[in-house]
Amino acid sequence: MQLTAEDEAFRSAIRGWLEQNLSGEFASLRGAGGPGREHEQFEQRLAWNRHLAASGWTCVGWPAEYGGRAATLAQQVIFHEEYARSGAPARVGHMGEELLGPTLIEFGTPEQKERFLPPIAAVAELWCQGYSEPGAGSDLASVSTSAVLDGGDWVITGQKIWTSLATVADWCFLLARTEPGSRRSAGLSYLLVPMRQAGITVRPIRQLTGTSEFNEVFFDGARTPGDMVVGTAGEGWRVAVATLAIERGVSTLGQQVGYERELDALIAEARRNGAAADPLLRDRLARAWIGLQVMREQVIAMLDNAGQPGPGAGADASVVKLLWSRWHRTLGELAMDVLGPSAMLAQAPPYDLTDWQRQYLFSRADTIYGGSQEIQLGIIAERALGLPRQPRT
Ligand SMILES: Cc1cc2nc3c(=O)[nH]c(=O)nc-3n(C[C@H](O)[C@H](O)[C@H](O)COP(=O)(O)OP(=O)(O)OC[C@H]3O[C@@H](n4cnc5c(N)ncnc54)[C@H](O)[C@@H]3O)c2cc1C
């Protein structure tokens, strides 16, 4: 990726801002949060995110009219690199900033954009994603949560599951069946629903890490105004799929840059505890480093080629998802081997997991969320290799 003088100026602006601002009350937040550690200093991280927003460092890729900086692709890469490099804490508003925001920019009405984009950019409202249900995960078109119009409101009944961050979310973007009797992807609508109301119950699910990043969400006559549908009612599938494409694409960038820090920390640990002398572990560390370079190039190629026809068009995001999720899961396994038997022990009371133990356990989920690895392989087989479509039941 060729960087211009403007890009370099952008880099020094964000680098300088982070150096100056990750200090004082925010200094202790370095490295806080992240997968399996979402409970860490949540309120303080929220305050940090709002501070970031107040200086215009959220939603940098959004058009300026919606509160963004209209940053180019290269500048977005730079932003994520500098953010990860600085050790700034994990972001809290990514569902709104990276998933719903771009979806609304593409499909929302002017009123929806005006109502929802500014609070996302300001990190004043947090969002969760209500797609999966007990009977609809990989096969998302099996969604059965229903919504019917009643007195000008949508009334929603059903259950969502694995809903990340639902305990802290103010709003949920969800997929519901609005045409009774419709089947598969027809008759679904993409609704925006306020979370804090009597008709919604959020029940946290305890995960391997002992924490609850995701939840069950029960809708029992929950309500949202009739104009809270994104795109056309009954044609929500198109919108939902667009959000998924975003989830599997650009938004993974920041995450991946953070991996470099994890690998650096693991290499430092291997040097410290002598594991770096083990030829097999050295080999695996070197492979991890190579994997990181390949992944970075692949992401940049995907971003550069976005929208271009060519071999594999439409499967690029799946290749990237497959690469990072497998890489990160393998890194967790490597970390356990670098740490040796001590990886199996909890440290002194209160016996909290270490960061590496959390990384190992949580990264088991990487090949599941955002579309499982089997689903990504299916997409690559069909779209990149032109193999016959998998039989649908
Ligand atoms: C940490 C985490 C956070 C999540 N956050 C959210 C969230 O915020 N919002 C949300 O809506 N969802 C969320 N999810 C749910 C996630 O999207 C689903 O778990 C995922 O889509 C898989 O669906 P499932 O769990 O129902 O598994 P299933 O679809 O039942 O799959 C079970 C197994 O069968 C395989 N399989 C299924 N279909 C096929 C096929 N056609 N070909 C080959 N193999 C197949 C799968 O790969 C998997 O191994 C989250 C999940 C995790 C783990």
Side-chain angles (χ1 to χ4, degrees):
M1 191 174 276
Q2 290 287 347
L3 296 185
T4 63
E6 223 173 296
D7 295 336
E8 294 300 350
F10 183 91
R11 187 187 293 281
S12 34
I14 178 61
R15 184 178 288 181
W17 190 91
L18 287 165
E19 268 166 23
Q20 212 171 13
N21 287 271
L22 261 176
S23 57
E25 59 174 315
F26 297 124
S28 66
L29 289 181
R30 279 178 198 269
R37 296 165 48 205
E38 56 292 325
H39 57 293
E40 288 176 355
Q41 305 188 69
F42 182 81
E43 288 302 325
Q44 295 89 327
R45 286 195 292 128
L46 183 60
W48 160 255
N49 277 259
R50 289 178 175 161
H51 182 64
L52 205 62
S55 294
W57 287 115
T58 54
C59 308
V60 292
W62 290 12
E65 60 183 304
Y66 302 129
R69 280 182 182 247
T72 61
L73 223 45
Q75 290 166 356
Q76 292 176 54
V77 174
I78 290 170
F79 174 81
H80 289 301
E81 280 177 352
E82 292 300 324
Y83 192 87
R85 228 160 255 157
S86 73
R91 304 287 302 278
V92 298
H94 63 280
M95 293 277 185
E97 173 166 346
E98 293 172 355
L99 301 185
L100 181 68
T103 307
L104 282 183
I105 289 171
E106 192 173 342
F107 296 97
T109 61
E111 292 75 22
Q112 287 168 346
K113 291 177 187 170
E114 197 178 327
R115 163 64 185 85
F116 292 115
L117 295 178
I120 291 175
V123 202
E125 285 178 344
L126 300 180
W127 286 81
C128 63
Q129 178 181 29
Y131 279 19
S132 304
E133 299 183 358
S138 303
D139 186 18
L140 187 59
S142 295
V143 156
S144 66
T145 291
S146 70
V148 290
L149 273 174
D150 171 60
D153 282 349
W154 292 104
V155 179
I156 304 135
T157 307
Q159 182 195 347
K160 297 292 175 180
I161 195 167
W162 322 127
T163 319
S164 298
L165 307 176
T167 45
V168 292
D170 303 290
W171 285 80
C172 180
F173 53 96
L174 62 78
L175 206 49
R177 199 160 289 283
T178 47
E179 290 174 11
S182 61
R183 296 196 65 245
R184 310 294 301 157
S185 58
L188 298 171
S189 297
Y190 192 105
L191 300 177
L192 310 176
V193 181
M195 287 294 285
R196 302 186 203 289
Q197 55 169 309
I200 295 183
T201 307
V202 177
R203 200 190 291 167
I205 300 173
R206 193 175 150 92
Q207 290 162 249
L208 273 178
T209 48
T211 54
S212 298
E213 187 259 1
F214 56 37
N215 306 267
E216 290 178 288
V217 183
F218 298 90
F219 297 85
D220 186 10
R223 301 183 84 89
T224 197
D227 57 359
M228 290 292 142
V229 56
V230 183
T232 310
E235 292 178 19
W237 183 253
R238 205 164 69 89
V239 187
V241 168
T243 307
L244 281 179
I246 297 165
E247 182 172 7
R248 292 173 191 167
V250 183
S251 71
T252 59
L253 201 64
Q255 197 179 7
Q256 290 180 46
V257 182
Y259 293 166
E260 196 178 316
R261 285 174 61 83
E262 286 186 341
L263 181 58
D264 286 348
L266 188 60
I267 292 169
E269 175 59 27
R271 284 181 195 278
R272 196 195 60 76
N273 74 2
D278 179 318
L280 294 179
L281 292 175
R282 287 166 74 88
D283 182 284
R284 287 166 67 192
L285 285 166
R287 284 173 195 268
W289 183 82
I290 293 167
L292 205 53
Q293 313 312 310
V294 170
M295 202 153 58
R296 186 168 190 280
E297 292 308 315
Q298 185 68 30
V299 174
I300 290 172
M302 174 186 77
L303 297 177
D304 276 348
N305 297 335
Q308 305 288 326
D316 280 2
S318 294
V319 174
V320 167
K321 165 83 217 280
L322 208 56
L323 282 177
W324 73 252
S325 57
R326 287 180 167 185
W327 183 90
H328 200 225
R329 202 180 63 174
T330 306
L331 185 76
E333 291 161 5
L334 176 55
M336 294 298 100
D337 291 339
V338 164
L339 292 169
S342 73
M344 290 184 277
L345 300 176
Q347 289 178 345
Y351 303 115
D352 271 346
L353 296 177
T354 64
D355 289 353
W356 281 119
Q357 287 166 336
R358 278 184 201 288
Q359 192 280 345
Y360 167 66
L361 292 172
F362 199 91
S363 64
R364 311 308 298 172
D366 289 345
T367 47
I368 303 173
Y369 67 82
S372 73
Q373 63 174 336
E374 289 76 18
I375 293 300
Q376 307 305 336
L377 285 167
I379 293 172
I380 293 165
E382 289 177 17
R383 297 195 196 155
L385 308 184
L387 297 184
R389 277 172 71 88
Q390 191 184 36
R392 263 53 171 187
T393 48

